[in-house]
Amino acid sequence: MRHLVTSGQFTLDGGTWDVDNNVWLVGDDREVIVIDAAHDAEAIAAAVGDRELTAIVCTHAHNDHINAAAPLADRTGAPIWLHPADRVLWRMVYPDRDPDGDLADGQELTVAGTVLRVLHTPGHAPGAVCLHAPELTTVFTGDTLFRGGPGATGRSYSDFAAIIASIRERLLTLPAETVVRTGHGETTTIGDEAPHLEEWIARGY
């Protein structure tokens, strides 16, 4: 597993914000997948190196998580995978290009012998997914769950009740020691976040 931080801008609903994104690479010395190709296709390609890039997996389709996906796919020939419920956000970035494949809840992606199970976790975006890798004691949560709370739900196509349900039913049911590798910021664990669910609900965040 390797982690890059790339920098750029997130744009939605007429606003633009500077952001740092986590890009995750999972694989071995022969093959790898990229989770959330953000901002800098050249840097991500350099991290992939001469390995086969078997898939570019998008946890959701906000521009800051997919804006390097097409350039990286063009450079490497790797397919782009996205949950179909996020096509509306995808088309804001790529109006003339579709992803190569649809992610589905329960789908299993395998790279270098490691299984990543797709968990559909709507709320931050309608097609948001997390990727659970039990063998790595890890879940890649995109912008669904962060250290300190859920992802933002104050913008178009987001829903607070939905993200709380996703976190309660799909993430907090994972083993407490599971490391949460997020779309932005620091990692945490399921055990560290689980006690705070009711606080988040009370705050509306």
Side-chain angles (χ1 to χ4, degrees), residues 110-134:
T110 302
V111 60
T114 297
V115 174
L116 302 171
R117 186 168 185 266
V118 177
L119 307 176
H120 183 210
T121 52
H124 180 69
V129 302
C130 298
L131 301 168
H132 181 216

Side-chain angles (χ1 to χ4, degrees), residues 6 9-10 19-23 34-39 44 56-69 80 82 90 93-94 124 141-144 146 182-184:
T6 59
Q9 294 185 322
F10 166 54
V19 288
D20 296 327
N21 284 62
N22 294 326
V23 180
V34 165
I35 301 170
D36 287 345
H39 307 305
I44 300 168
I56 300 163
V57 182
C58 308
T59 63
H60 63 293
H62 284 151
N63 75 290
D64 59 316
H65 288 256
I66 65 169
N67 55 11
I80 301 169
L82 176 74
W90 172 271
V93 181
Y94 300 113
H124 180 69
T141 58
D143 289 1
T144 295
F146 292 106
T182 62
H184 308 271

Side-chain angles (χ1 to χ4, degrees), residues 179-197:
V179 178
V180 177
R181 302 189 190 275
T182 62
H184 308 271
E186 299 178 6
T187 61
T188 183
T189 67
I190 293 296
D192 284 342
E193 300 308 317
H196 303 291
L197 179 66

Side-chain angles (χ1 to χ4, degrees), residues 97-114:
R97 177 177 185 154
D98 288 334
D100 300 294
D102 291 337
L103 296 172
D105 187 58
Q107 179 180 355
E108 293 186 346
L109 308 175
T110 302
V111 60
T114 297

Side-chain angles (χ1 to χ4, degrees), residues 26 30 38 50 70 84 97 136 168 172 186-187 199:
V26 181
R30 295 177 294 102
D50 60 3
R97 177 177 185 154
L136 302 178
R168 178 193 285 120
L172 299 188
E186 299 178 6
T187 61
E199 298 170 25

